[in-house]
Amino acid sequence: MAQTLPRSNAGSQAGGLKRDARIIGLLFASTTSMIGSGWLFGALHAARIAGPLSVWSWVAGAVIIMLIALCFAELASLFPKSGALVHMSHASHGDGLGRIWGWLLFLSYVAIPSVEAEAIVTYANNYIPGLIAPGESGVLTTLGFFVCMGLLVVMAAVNLLAVGLLLRVNSTVTWWKIAVPVATALTLIVTSLGHPSALGADVGGYKVTGIFTALPAAGIVFSYLGFRTAIDLGGESANPGRHIPMAVIGSVLLGAVVYILLQFGFLAALRPSDLVHGWAKLDFAGAMGPFAGLATLLGLNWLAVILYVDAYISPGGTGLAYITGGSRVLYAVGEMGGGPSWLMRLNAVKAPVLGVLVMWVVGVVFLLPFPAWQLLVNYITSVTVLTYGLGPVTLLVLRRNVPNVARPFRLPGAGTIARAAFVCSNLVILWTGFRTNSVLFLIVAVGFAAYAVWFHFAAKRPAAEFGWREISWLLPWFGGMWVLSALSDIGGGAAVLGFWPDVVLTALWSLIVIEIAQRCALVAEDTAAVMAHMTDVPSASLR
């Protein structure tokens, strides 16, 4: 099919985005996206689901995300452009899928600053009562809603700085965000030495399968998702082919070390008395702010003060980074013709000012149906992993269609790793639960229908340009995952299938879908033409 070439930057105020991002800035941009509210709340929720096995949940999450990140490390080096995740899908499956995926990516980014603002307010409610409604639901009050709105204003305003200054701010914040969790974990471990610990307690209330169901439910996968920020800033990197893969892989490794250490420290600090009702009912004074509550119970008031300060810095830094990444996704959507050209408009320091504004407005709207941290985390996990599923597919298509293109980072064993990553993406979607997946696929279906109506009737574009052939594989993918989720015993499913049979069937179905997806991809000539326009390399030399 004919492909629409990207818009030029001519209307974007004297050229494109500024290439002022270095390796440390990119590494820390991804790391600061990763170490946010997840570390403040994830350990408690993981312990309630998987008990003492919750450490292995973080290990499993790191392995799954690393498989996905390795696929994107190679892809990002081929698309050194801001909002690279959008450009990838255009090259593999054409404009139709590219435009749809661009807006799905936006939906996965835009809610994260909101959930980080909710985390700040939840912790602050311990010493500023009235921000959160009474009870254990963590729902915002009217005052809490407006405080979250104000926090989003601050995050958006900082994003209007030049990218070099923005990344220097991020780098400074990240040193703090790494140091405080590591110091917290080590302090809790040392303080707990010689005292009775819940780790050795004979307490039930958890299953081995909790290792995997905790991945979405406890916010573990959510906590690891930040590696993509370096990819989004590819167009602002001084040496993207080298820097982006290093930042992507390095951030996952760094995040894994921090999170695994934190979970062990949290478990070590618990006392058997905290588990009198079992792991599922784990509770203690101050549990709404778990680590600060434990520090207070252990007499570590100085640590509790630091943690309450960090409850602003860690979520704030992550929210800041995701507005950065989301505004670049919107820039790419505008550049590739998937949205209005004004999304490419830059301010005097080359920041996408209207993209930042859209991120703020829609982020505020997301606070209304999801007025609590836990409510937003499940949605974010499912929609983000869904968008990541395209990465392994795209990697295989580009290996086939443009085998001769220069790859600054070439992933060894790409065929095996890509298929394993696609299977793992779908398993996380399965473990999110039927109720959440039903909402997710309903949103996708409504959004797709709206886009199709706009394309055919409002924009009156030729049907041949819609890309039905390249999009068709989404139906068996999404439909199959919804059916498998409905048959599962997770999150409201019918429990027709047990946990492990459902895992096996999901893996087999994933392998079938990824083969269908490759058959529905663009032919080599069209992929080469799109990539040639993006990279200024003659298309004949790419094939």
Side-chain angles (χ1 to χ4, degrees):
M1 64 177 281
Q3 297 301 305
T4 303
L5 296 177
R7 293 166 173 157
S8 71
N9 292 335
S12 304
Q13 292 190 21
L17 296 161
K18 189 175 181 181
R19 291 188 176 272
D20 196 24
R22 306 289 176 177
I23 176 60
I24 294 299
L26 290 173
L27 173 63
F28 279 10
S30 284
T31 304
T32 201
S33 297
M34 196 173 290
I35 303 177
S37 61
W39 92 264
L40 296 172
F41 297 100
L44 172 65
H45 294 298
R48 285 174 172 170
I49 296 169
L53 301 178
S54 52
V55 171
W56 292 105
S57 296
W58 292 97
V59 174
V63 171
I64 289 172
I65 294 300
M66 180 59 80
L67 289 171
I68 297 171
L70 286 170
C71 296
F72 281 102
E74 176 171 318
L75 291 170
S77 69
L78 294 175
F79 298 90
K81 300 171 72 68
S82 289
L85 293 171
V86 177
H87 297 91
M88 295 171 189
S89 53
H90 281 267
S92 66
H93 285 81
D95 293 338
L97 184 63
R99 293 180 186 125
I100 292 170
W101 226 257
W103 287 109
L104 281 175
L105 284 166
F106 166 71
L107 288 175
S108 72
Y109 275 77
V110 71
I112 293 182
S114 301
V115 81
E116 301 301 336
E118 288 177 342
I120 294 172
V121 170
T122 300
Y123 254 73
N125 188 70
N126 286 333
Y127 52 87
I128 308 176
L131 299 175
I132 300 294
E136 298 181 358
S137 61
V139 174
L140 298 171
T141 63
T142 301
L143 176 60
F145 173 85
F146 283 106
V147 172
C148 283
M149 184 187 298
L151 290 170
L152 291 173
V153 169
V154 174
M155 295 178 195
V158 175
N159 262 279
L160 298 179
L161 302 173
V163 68
L165 178 58
L166 177 61
L167 290 179
R168 284 192 289 275
V169 171
N170 263 332
S171 295
T172 302
V173 168
T174 303
W175 282 113
W176 168 278
K177 291 178 68 174
I178 294 172
V180 171
V182 170
T184 298
L186 294 177
T187 301
L188 292 178
I189 293 170
V190 171
T191 304
S192 301
L193 293 175
H195 297 282
S197 172
L199 280 173
D202 183 16
V203 179
Y206 67 93
K207 299 178 181 179
V208 173
T209 55
I211 294 173
F212 306 103
T213 56
L215 294 176
I220 291 173
V221 169
F222 163 76
S223 300
Y224 281 126
L225 295 177
F227 75 84
R228 64 188 177 184
T229 303
I231 300 173
D232 296 322
L233 293 171
E236 292 146 277
S237 170
N239 186 359
R242 180 171 178 267
H243 291 169
I244 297 174
M246 291 175 64
V248 167
I249 296 170
S251 64
V252 175
L253 291 174
L254 186 58
V257 170
V258 171
Y259 278 123
I260 292 168
L261 193 62
L262 273 168
Q263 186 68 47
F264 185 79
F266 179 84
L267 294 174
L270 293 174
R271 296 293 179 262
S273 58
D274 299 327
L275 298 169
V276 291
H277 300 295
W279 284 98
K281 299 291 186 179
L282 167 64
D283 197 19
F284 50 86
M288 288 293 287
F291 281 103
L294 277 180
T296 301
L297 290 174
L298 293 172
L300 303 172
N301 293 326
W302 60 271
L303 180 59
V305 171
I306 292 175
L307 290 170
Y308 281 123
V309 172
D310 184 72
Y312 287 92
I313 296 175
S314 285
T318 298
L320 184 71
Y322 271 97
I323 289 182
T324 303
S327 62
R328 270 63 178 179
V329 166
L330 289 173
Y331 182 94
V333 167
E335 184 180 24
M336 298 302 294
S341 59
W342 52 258
L343 290 171
M344 301 167 60
R345 191 171 302 169
L346 308 178
N347 65 7
V349 295
K350 307 298 183 184
V353 57
L354 294 183
V356 170
L357 179 61
V358 170
M359 287 290 294
W360 176 76
V361 171
V362 180
V364 170
V365 172
F366 260 89
L367 292 171
L368 297 172
F370 302 105
W373 188 86
Q374 191 65 32
L375 294 175
L376 255 181
V377 162
N378 270 341
Y379 161 80
I380 292 168
T381 298
S382 58
V383 71
T384 304
V385 173
L386 189 72
T387 61
Y388 279 170
L390 186 64
V393 175
T394 300
L395 177 62
L396 294 177
V397 171
L398 296 188
R399 282 290 186 97
R400 181 194 70 192
N401 284 5
V402 285
N404 297 324
V405 66
R407 287 172 165 82
F409 173 76
R410 189 176 185 89
L411 177 63
T416 301
I417 291 175
R419 288 174 173 83
F422 189 70
V423 169
C424 288
S425 296
N426 288 327
L427 287 175
V428 173
I429 293 171
L430 173 71
W431 296 329
T432 300
F434 177 63
R435 280 187 292 268
T436 300
N437 287 331
S438 295
V439 173
L440 169 65
F441 290 127
L442 177 62
I443 291 172
V444 171
V446 171
F448 177 81
Y451 171 71
V453 169
W454 171 84
F455 186 94
H456 291 292
F457 299 104
K460 296 182 178 179
R461 302 281 292 276
E465 293 183 8
F466 189 79
W468 285 105
R469 174 186 171 276
E470 289 80 11
I471 293 172
S472 60
W473 66 280
L474 297 181
L475 180 60
W477 181 17
F478 296 170
M481 286 307 305
W482 184 81
V483 170
L484 287 166
S485 185
L487 296 175
S488 76
D489 58 355
I490 303 170
V496 174
L497 295 173
F499 182 86
W500 295 112
D502 215 7
V503 166
V504 172
L505 286 176
T506 299
L508 291 174
W509 185 244
S510 299
L511 294 175
I512 293 171
V513 168
I514 200 169
E515 298 307 316
I516 297 173
Q518 291 178 77
R519 294 177 182 271
C520 293
L522 295 179
V523 297
E525 292 77 9
D526 285 342
T527 293
V530 173
M531 292 192 66
H533 188 87
M534 292 180 183
T535 60
D536 296 324
V537 175
S539 61
S541 66
L542 298 175
R543 300 200 299 273

